[in-house]
Amino acid sequence: MKVPGNMNQSGRGGIVTDNDKTSWDELRDEAADWLAGMDTGTADRVAFEAWRDKDPRHAAAFVQVVNALSILDRAKPGLKENPPKASTLSRRHLLVSAASVAVASVGGAFFAFSQAKATVTTAIGERQSVALPGGGKLELNTDSKVQWRAEPDRIDVWLRRGEVSADFGNSDRPGMLHTDERVAEFQRATINARLRGNLLDLAVVSGTCALRSGRQTKSSVATQIQSNHAVLASAQQNIVRPLDAMDTAALEAWPQNELVFQGQTLESAVAEYNRYLTRKIVIADGSLAGVRLGGRYPTQDPDGFLRALHAGFGIRVVDDGTGNIALTK
């Protein structure tokens, strides 16, 4: 079979052979792997660019797969009405579909690649670790959402919801943590960031960090946070404080799926425990709210915590009729 223009799919003139077809399929497989890596955040941008520049066919194959995904996204409403069998949505099916897509602007696809962010979320009670290019690591706490993107000179992290620990102590690139209102810049440091409504609670476990407004102006001044210090940042001010033993114990405990209480009130302890529970704990008797307690408890199993409340304070645990766990005298 002749290809118009005397140029076959492999970029060489003449007849398309079986080997050429196999080679083109393999290139699309490689392109799909790069795109999958981009989606999960495991792709190294420098390595991708080296692969892309090695052969013009690599660039063309990548654009075909990107375009095929775009077409698939636009077809999603129709897929919901007439869902195909799971096997028809395999990567092979996608790649075969990609072969029929005309090669569009290569620059646009590369721009999409460079701007893409990997997204990681955790459900209530779930925790997840993410290894970053260059040696950094993210640890997501319960009910959290983080996006990140690797640049040649830094790693950008966006905290959308919940809590994340960013360990860049062994990273060869600095980090930039973004929230809606703030940007934290750090290098060879470990930080813990938690969103509390409109507030950012940022602890610097090691190293140093500079926190500034996300809407930087000429008059913007960064707040410098030293090791073993934390800042509670609002739109109006940044309140810096040293980390005490209770802060440090809590920061070390949650990545181990534990909660540590050292004299907190029952009201505070229940609020913290409920972050990890789909079946919430409710203080049915308000007189119990100020009871102070201590101990170390697993986040994924509140039974030990509830038994300790009964054994230590005579607090009864009952079903409140709505599926919650009620605490009463």
Side-chain angles (χ1 to χ4, degrees), residues 3 17 59 84 88 101 128 159 169 228 231 259 268 271 283-285 291 294:
V3 176
T17 67
T88 66
V101 179
Q128 187 167 342
L159 178 58
N228 293 315
V231 58
L259 287 174
S268 175
I283 301 177
D285 187 330
V291 171

Side-chain angles (χ1 to χ4, degrees), residues 67-138:
N67 286 345
L69 279 176
S70 177
I71 289 174
L72 189 62
D73 285 339
R74 291 196 297 271
K76 280 181 179 178
L79 290 177
K80 290 180 181 179
E81 294 175 4
N82 300 290
K85 295 180 180 179
S87 61
T88 66
L89 295 179
S90 66
R91 188 180 72 174
R92 172 56 57 191
H93 179 269
L94 175 61
L95 296 177
V96 171
S97 299
S100 65
V101 179
V103 177
S105 167
V106 174
F110 295 154
F111 177 79
F113 179 86
S114 65
Q115 296 301 308
K117 301 171 186 174
T119 300
V120 187
T121 60
T122 55
I124 294 175
E126 183 183 12
R127 184 176 58 79
Q128 187 167 342
S129 300
V130 180
L132 300 175
K137 185 177 76 169
L138 300 178

Side-chain angles (χ1 to χ4, degrees), residues 152-234:
D153 60 342
R154 69 178 189 274
I155 304 289
D156 286 293
V157 179
W158 289 264
L159 178 58
R160 304 301 190 190
R161 183 180 73 245
E163 183 174 16
V164 64
S165 170
D167 183 355
F168 278 52
N170 295 317
S171 176
D172 60 11
R173 297 178 230 186
M176 293 185 69
L177 177 80
H178 306 259
T179 66
D180 288 343
E181 299 290 338
R182 302 287 173 181
V183 176
E185 301 179 31
F186 55 99
Q187 186 170 12
R188 299 290 184 182
T190 298
I191 67 172
N192 191 97
R194 177 175 172 181
L195 293 176
R196 299 178 182 269
N198 294 326
L199 302 177
L200 169 64
D201 194 349
L202 177 69
V204 180
V205 179
S206 65
T208 60
C209 178
L211 182 66
R212 59 177 173 80
S213 170
R215 299 177 176 86
Q216 191 172 21
T217 65
K218 291 182 179 179
S219 61
S220 297
V221 177
T223 299
Q224 302 295 326
I225 307 130
Q226 302 300 316
S227 178
N228 293 315
H229 283 72
V231 58
L232 189 64
S234 68

